[in-house]
Amino acid sequence: MAEVSVRAPGRRWSKPPFIKSPGLRWGLYIGATIYFVLASYSILVDVDWQRVYEGLPRGAKFLGGFFPPFPFANIIETGGFEELAAQRLIDIGDGLIESLTMTVTSTAIGILISVPIGLGAARNIAPAPVYLFCRGIIAVSRSFQEVIIAIFCVAMFGFGPFAGMVTLSFATIGFLSKLLAEDIESMDPGQAEAIRATGSRWPQWINYGVQPQVMPRLIGLSLYRLDINFRESSVVGIVGAGGIGSTLLTAFDRYEYSTAATILLIIIGIVFFAEYSAGKIRARLQ
Amino acid sequence: MLRLEGLTKRYPTGDEALKGVDLEVPKGQVLALIGPSGAGKSTLIRCINRLVEPTGGRATLDGMNITALGVGGLRQARRRMGMIFQEYALVERLTVMENVLSGRLGYVGFWRSWFRKFPQSDVDEAFRLLDRVGLAEMCDKRADELSGGQRQRVGIARALIQDPALLLVDEPTASLDPKTSRQIMRLICELCEERGLAAIINIHDVLLAQMFVPRIVGLRLGEVVYDGPSDGLSPDVLTEIYGEEDWEATIKKDPDGDDGVDGVEIDRERLEGLI
């Protein structure tokens, strides 16, 4: 107690700064500010504000074309369009089923391939050569955006949902393996050690010591990926890989904005539903 | 039965955790390993079942040289060495029964263990052990629903179902309150006696070690500096092990004043441990 009171009252304290050297600290602050101002200027200086002003009503008109969101809803009273509208709804239904099929199969295939790669990519359970190999696969899978892989797959397998399925499976591997591996790397080594000490074989060790620790996260990530794959299935369709994206592109190509709006609303609805049910399932898992 | 000869462990950083430890544990003997943090207690018992690879010396169990075993042989040898851990090391998301049965993994094939179809004799033994440690009703609870004392009992059952000849016990009471600590130590020692098991118990509670264990080995900086009966611990010996300090209060005053020697007392405490 005596020691504490010796410390003079009124002694100031403030949290030590993250970057210790004041020169470097202020240099970074000022440098970042100058860069931000110049970068913003370099972009804004080229904007034609007159064009933006004229474009606003054009954008509003474009958006207006989406309403009401039902195929040919704005002209359906004029007669003769009911049949076309029905045909569009069938097209949408077909595209949707194709998309959902692509989503489910690609997620399932992706998970099956991701699990062994994820195990191999975890530094704490895989030997160095396996680790590097699996990390390599993940890096390749992650470095290409879905659309680029889709273009490649369409070129290789032709138009249609097969190209889309391969694309999404490939993209799933990069996502799921990486996050699974990271979860394994941050597991509690004590539990795994205890299972090893019983004289278990390697696969038994994984099944008892590792799997229970990472399973909730693996399921959560898989549900999330299902969600992503559905959204991506509508994007890869635009480059010809089948699914609702192809239907959407066709609708735009025909200037049938109300059909496009129907499709967009359905996509939003399904994503909402997926989000909601995934949340429910995840809550039950813990 | 267990013999360590010049067991050495040098970590890649250059730290020498064990400097040629010689130790012999006869069948059925329980010994306590005491020493300050960083003395190498944990490393020593992990070098015996090679969760940590020793860098020199030998460990032999019933004449079998553990340090020279290949992967398959090591698995078989590990079945004979049950291990109990400081933080219980139960698989949190598995049930109590799965945790106990995981002690049989060395004996059953992969698919049986994958589908949790263990031989009936294993299941019988698991129920018997759970009953013995007082957790028969808990078998379908998830391990993370249990209290610390209960978890450690499951850990003990998991080690015993291996049908081991030797128990390696790493700080079994360090995460427990004083009363539960005594109950757990008493349970471990009773079970060792019932089954004729040898045990090495790492423990940093000197008084607790003296209370239950007849032989004490003191480890300091990776070397054995004391090996003798528990009532041979004097302030000088403790100073040798831990360094200068006033040790009078730490040493058991009356060798006969053991806690709760009569059976009624023991049973009452055991029941309380279940709450």
Side-chain angles (χ1 to χ4, degrees):
Chain A
M1 290 310 276
E3 262 182 53
V4 176
S5 61
V6 166
R7 302 275 172 219
R11 182 178 164 183
R12 301 284 295 272
W13 180 88
S14 62
K15 184 172 151 47
F18 180 66
I19 302 165
K20 291 222 166 47
S21 146
L24 182 63
R25 187 164 73 241
W26 287 108
L28 276 174
Y29 290 162
I30 294 165
T33 311
I34 292 173
Y35 177 82
F36 177 75
V37 169
L38 288 180
S40 310
Y41 177 75
S42 74
I43 289 171
L44 291 174
V45 77
D46 286 334
V47 175
D48 179 353
W49 293 105
Q50 185 63 31
R51 166 70 186 74
V52 171
Y53 178 72
E54 286 166 10
L56 286 176
R58 235 177 294 165
K61 205 175 152 205
F62 181 84
L63 280 179
F66 285 99
F67 293 96
F70 181 82
F72 305 104
N74 47 344
I75 44 174
I76 216 154
E77 296 86 10
T78 59
F81 277 93
E82 289 92 343
E83 236 171 82
L84 265 175
Q87 184 55 46
R88 289 294 175 270
L89 284 179
I90 292 169
D91 291 346
I92 292 173
D94 287 348
L96 211 55
I97 288 171
E98 204 169 87
S99 252
L100 287 173
T101 315
M102 255 163 66
T103 306
V104 173
T105 49
S106 63
T107 309
I109 294 170
I111 293 169
L112 286 180
I113 303 175
S114 298
V115 169
I117 295 180
L119 287 173
R123 190 68 198 93
N124 51 345
I125 63 172
V130 178
Y131 169 77
L132 290 174
F133 177 72
C134 291
R135 283 283 166 178
I137 296 177
I138 292 173
V140 171
S141 168
R142 280 169 54 81
S143 51
F144 295 103
Q145 218 278 329
E146 276 89 340
V147 172
I148 296 168
I149 304 168
I151 293 170
F152 176 72
C153 286
V154 167
M156 202 153 57
F157 307 121
F159 292 105
F162 181 68
M165 191 191 79
V166 174
T167 303
L168 295 180
S169 304
F170 187 69
T172 303
I173 293 169
F175 173 87
L176 217 53
S177 312
K178 182 183 161 70
L179 294 175
L180 175 63
E182 263 150 34
D183 202 34
I184 294 173
E185 283 172 354
S186 63
M187 72 177 180
D188 170 17
Q191 300 180 32
E193 185 187 42
I195 296 298
R196 203 144 55 97
T198 64
S200 60
R201 292 180 178 81
W202 191 84
Q204 290 175 318
W205 177 60
I206 297 293
N207 183 218
Y208 277 74
V210 179
Q211 189 193 330
Q213 295 196 52
V214 300
M215 208 56 192
R217 182 136 168 86
L218 180 60
I219 293 173
L221 287 172
S222 301
L223 290 170
Y224 182 42
R225 188 63 215 187
L226 192 72
D227 187 342
I228 296 176
N229 278 351
F230 179 72
R231 274 182 286 138
E232 291 298 336
S233 81
S234 58
V235 176
V236 296
I238 292 175
V239 296
I244 193 77
S246 302
T247 324
L248 186 65
L249 185 66
T250 312
F252 275 118
D253 284 347
R254 289 176 175 147
Y255 301 104
E256 290 173 6
Y257 291 137
S258 55
T259 309
T262 316
I263 295 172
L264 290 177
L265 282 180
I266 290 173
I267 292 177
I268 293 171
I270 290 181
V271 169
F272 262 124
F273 174 75
E275 183 68 38
Y276 175 78
S277 28
K280 284 274 171 202
I281 295 173
R282 244 176 261 135
R284 284 202 59 162
L285 279 176
Q286 276 310 317
Chain B
M1 185 199 64
L2 178 76
R3 182 197 291 268
L4 308 182
E5 291 162 85
L7 203 63
T8 304
K9 173 65 187 178
R10 183 192 286 275
Y11 283 106
T13 51
D15 296 335
E16 218 171 14
L18 296 176
K19 299 170 184 163
V21 171
D22 296 303
L23 192 66
E24 185 151 5
V25 187
K27 185 171 160 35
Q29 190 188 62
V30 177
L31 76 81
L33 197 59
I34 63 170
S37 306
K41 303 193 295 291
S42 243
T43 306
L44 178 62
I45 66 165
R46 279 173 172 73
C47 277
I48 297 172
N49 65 0
R50 281 172 59 191
L51 286 176
V52 171
E53 285 293 337
T55 45
R58 285 153 49 94
T60 51
L61 183 68
D62 287 333
M64 171 181 57
N65 184 358
I66 302 170
T67 28
L69 290 173
V71 178
L74 177 61
R75 279 206 313 108
Q76 303 224 331
R78 278 182 181 158
R79 305 194 305 202
R80 308 203 49 221
M81 298 180 277
M83 196 157 176
I84 296 170
F85 298 84
Q86 172 177 358
E87 303 278 357
Y88 330 120
L90 300 183
V91 182
E92 301 273 309
R93 287 202 181 87
L94 293 184
T95 61
V96 166
M97 195 52 155
E98 283 175 297
N99 269 293
V100 175
L101 285 172
S102 70
R104 296 300 291 176
L105 286 177
Y107 295 90
V108 302
F110 173 69
W111 291 111
R112 283 198 99 135
S113 68
W114 171 272
F115 290 111
R116 309 311 197 239
K117 294 287 176 212
F118 286 83
Q120 188 57 43
S121 56
D122 290 357
V123 178
D124 289 343
E125 178 66 8
F127 274 121
R128 203 156 41 234
L129 281 165
L130 279 175
D131 194 36
R132 175 66 184 83
V133 299
L135 293 175
E137 304 308 315
M138 302 281 188
C139 65
D140 286 332
K141 281 221 188 273
R142 242 168 63 157
D144 53 7
E145 295 177 63
L146 305 186
S147 70
Q150 291 172 332
R151 288 185 201 203
Q152 194 56 290
R153 287 159 192 272
V154 176
I156 292 168
R158 174 176 64 188
L160 289 178
I161 203 172
Q162 285 179 228
D163 193 19
L166 169 71
L167 282 184
L168 302 170
V169 190
D170 192 17
E171 303 279 7
T173 62
S175 313
L176 300 173
D177 65 66
K179 185 179 171 76
T180 315
S181 296
R182 287 187 185 195
Q183 291 168 341
I184 290 294
M185 276 301 281
R186 187 178 298 121
L187 182 62
I188 292 174
C189 294
E190 280 174 7
L191 285 164
C192 284
E193 200 174 318
E194 279 170 28
R195 298 172 166 244
L197 295 181
I200 300 179
I201 304 177
N202 280 356
I203 190 157
H204 58 222
D205 187 331
V206 177
L207 208 55
L208 206 57
Q210 279 187 301
M211 199 179 287
F212 291 102
V213 183
R215 179 182 172 193
I216 303 246
V217 172
L219 207 61
R220 181 188 183 183
L221 297 173
E223 283 172 305
V224 174
V225 291
Y226 177 80
D227 184 353
S230 58
D231 47 19
L233 283 182
S234 62
D236 286 346
V237 171
L238 286 175
T239 299
E240 170 82 22
I241 299 172
Y242 288 98
E244 200 66 56
E245 185 56 69
D246 177 14
W247 295 111
E248 287 301 337
T250 309
I251 296 168
K252 190 168 64 171
K253 300 256 158 41
D254 174 15
D256 299 321
D258 206 339
D259 81 309
V261 263
D262 59 312
V264 181
E265 170 75 357
I266 289 174
D267 272 334
R268 197 176 55 77
E269 279 193 24
R270 213 177 269 142
L271 286 171
E272 278 170 359
L274 301 180
I275 297 165

